[in-house]
Amino acid sequence: MSTPPLASGPHGPDALRPLLDTVLGALTTGAAARGGPLPAGGPDAVAARVADALGDVLPEHGDPDALRALVHILAAGAADPADPLCAAHLHCPPLAVATAADLAVSALNPSLDSWDQAPAASALEARVTSALAARIGLADAVVTTGGTEANQLALLLAREAHGAHVRLVCSAAAHHSLPRAAWLLGLPDPVVLPAPNGTLDPATLDAALTELTGPLLVAATAGTTDAGLIDPLPEIAARCAAHRVRLHIDAAYGGALALSDRHRALLAGLDAADTVALDLHKLGWQPVATGFLAVADAAELDALHQRADYLNADDDTEAGLPDLLGRSTRTTRRPDILKAAVTLRTLGRTGLADLIDQVLGLAQDFADRIEAHPGLELYDRPTLATVLFRPAHASDDAVAAVRRSLLHEGRAVLGRARADGRLWLKATLLNPHTGPDDLAHLLKLAEGNTPA
């Protein structure tokens, strides 16, 4: 058997070209076989089709058709975020230019744990992270796998700055990764404040901060997962300043509004935070993963410093080789910054802002249609691109059954959220190619599938 070709090196592009044709063809045939936003038949049917296509996971002899067959079955069994009827989660359809850039990263396979593995990528990351941090009024940023890692890193920096007894204070609407990070880091049990309206109430926070003792970390949210709500950030920042407590803002969802002149005011107060989580694989249309943690004090990142002689020996650092181990808690990590850099340069701030404004406008349009529909009920006017609604007069069990029925049939992908003690269908409209007919179709499916 001849030695298989490599993706990089002088012959890499020539080896990749026919394989890319195979992949693109299989993506096309797989999407056609799926025929909608989701494969029909439910989990058992999908698992059976995958098992049939995969066959022996480790066969005695290789199959030259494996690439085509497995990409086909992956596409045929995908929940396609580019389908307008796939609108459940903060799972965006990635831009073609960002996906193409990501191919270069996979082919070159750099690792950002030492300069000699990623010379250009390390310089690129430093410039782009600095620019993104400056856009929201902070000093620096590091790349993460998303909002979850960014939140965990924020709590880690708080612990290093204020000691192991620092206590998280957040609302019941905060992302689950925050209390989980406190548990992972061995911090005291979080103080979880009620959020009856879906956001952190400044007066409730002030009362809690008045009573609590010891070092505290308040976590606010700019874009809740369930309803896309933004906490009153200026008031929360003022309470934190008055009580001299640290502030983290989880802006994984809403942070990209900093690029939009029309919607940036919704983030007023963001620059008062000590740390901010950002995520461009939501309102940034990047392939997973493209997250960031921005910091107000760049010196706090020194807490991440590690020494490994084979990666950042003292004499190499003194000789001018950048020390990259302090830029992440991970060691091996790919330069996810490239796709973001390519997107920012290709579209520019105004190009990305137009996409943001467009999908937020879609959400308003969708809410208008729900309000005008006698068979549907709207939870509230949307703040970002998330809209909660439900069939009028339906029970929670009926709402849940509507969603599962659409999933099983492969006709639409809607999320679910609980608010005001009731279960709601959730549409997260991150596809800028979605049109009025798509919105009408989604509502017809939701309303028409109400069980008797």
Side-chain angles (χ1 to χ4, degrees), residues 366-390:
F366 196 56
D368 289 342
R369 291 168 181 268
I370 294 166
E371 286 187 319
H373 196 303
L376 297 171
E377 180 183 353
L378 179 70
Y379 170 67
D380 200 357
R381 300 297 307 186
T383 301
L384 297 177
T386 302
V387 184
L388 302 186
F389 68 106
R390 53 183 281 143

Side-chain angles (χ1 to χ4, degrees), residues 61-115:
H61 302 287
D63 177 5
D65 192 45
L67 177 64
R68 183 207 60 79
L70 294 183
V71 172
H72 171 92
I73 200 64
L74 185 71
D80 183 4
D83 190 300
L85 302 182
C86 187
H89 302 287
L90 287 165
H91 178 199
C92 69
L95 292 166
V97 70
T99 305
D102 218 24
L103 170 64
V105 168
S106 293
L108 293 168
N109 209 29
S111 179
L112 281 160
D113 49 324
S114 65
W115 183 87

Side-chain angles (χ1 to χ4, degrees), residues 410-434:
R411 294 203 287 167
V413 189
L414 289 169
R416 55 183 287 162
R418 191 164 291 279
D420 287 346
R422 293 192 291 166
L423 188 64
W424 300 81
L425 298 173
K426 178 173 70 172
T428 310
L429 301 171
L430 298 184
N431 187 345
H433 290 272
T434 298

Side-chain angles (χ1 to χ4, degrees), residues 218-278:
V218 171
T221 307
T224 59
T225 304
D226 275 352
L229 302 177
I230 296 176
D231 288 340
L233 302 180
E235 294 90 340
I236 290 171
R239 300 302 201 281
C240 289
H243 289 275
R244 298 180 179 271
V245 300
R246 189 179 179 94
L247 174 61
H248 169 65
I249 298 178
D250 177 4
Y253 182 5
L257 267 62
L259 302 172
S260 167
D261 292 335
R262 184 183 304 177
H263 293 103
R264 187 175 183 179
L266 291 172
L267 297 180
L270 196 69
D271 58 354
D274 294 282
T275 52
V276 174
L278 303 168

Side-chain angles (χ1 to χ4, degrees), residues 202-217:
T204 301
L205 174 64
D206 190 71
L209 296 180
T210 300
E211 293 185 3
L212 292 168
T213 59
L216 301 172
L217 168 65

Side-chain angles (χ1 to χ4, degrees), residues 90-300:
L90 287 165
H91 178 199
C92 69
L95 292 166
V97 70
T99 305
D102 218 24
L103 170 64
V105 168
S106 293
L108 293 168
N109 209 29
S111 179
L112 281 160
D113 49 324
S114 65
W115 183 87
D116 59 355
Q117 297 176 81
S122 61
L124 183 71
E125 181 178 275
R127 291 183 65 85
V128 176
T129 52
S130 177
L132 287 174
R135 182 67 190 175
I136 61 171
L138 299 189
D140 198 3
V142 292
V143 175
T144 70
T145 53
T148 292
E149 186 189 353
N151 285 336
Q152 183 176 343
L153 190 53
L155 267 67
L156 174 62
L157 295 181
R159 187 191 72 181
E160 295 305 294
H162 301 287
H165 297 293
V166 65
R167 194 172 188 186
L168 172 67
V169 181
C170 63
S171 84
H175 195 264
H176 64 84
S177 62
L178 285 160
R180 191 181 195 190
W183 167 70
L184 284 169
L185 293 167
L187 301 180
D189 289 341
V191 176
V192 180
L193 303 177
N197 296 316
T199 57
L200 180 57
D201 175 58
T204 301
L205 174 64
D206 190 71
L209 296 180
T210 300
E211 293 185 3
L212 292 168
T213 59
L216 301 172
L217 168 65
V218 171
T221 307
T224 59
T225 304
D226 275 352
L229 302 177
I230 296 176
D231 288 340
L233 302 180
E235 294 90 340
I236 290 171
R239 300 302 201 281
C240 289
H243 289 275
R244 298 180 179 271
V245 300
R246 189 179 179 94
L247 174 61
H248 169 65
I249 298 178
D250 177 4
Y253 182 5
L257 267 62
L259 302 172
S260 167
D261 292 335
R262 184 183 304 177
H263 293 103
R264 187 175 183 179
L266 291 172
L267 297 180
L270 196 69
D271 58 354
D274 294 282
T275 52
V276 174
L278 303 168
D279 195 345
L280 292 184
H281 61 248
K282 294 180 172 62
L283 277 176
W285 295 277
Q286 299 299 290
V288 173
T290 320
F292 303 88
L293 180 75
V295 296
D297 182 0
E300 287 194 348

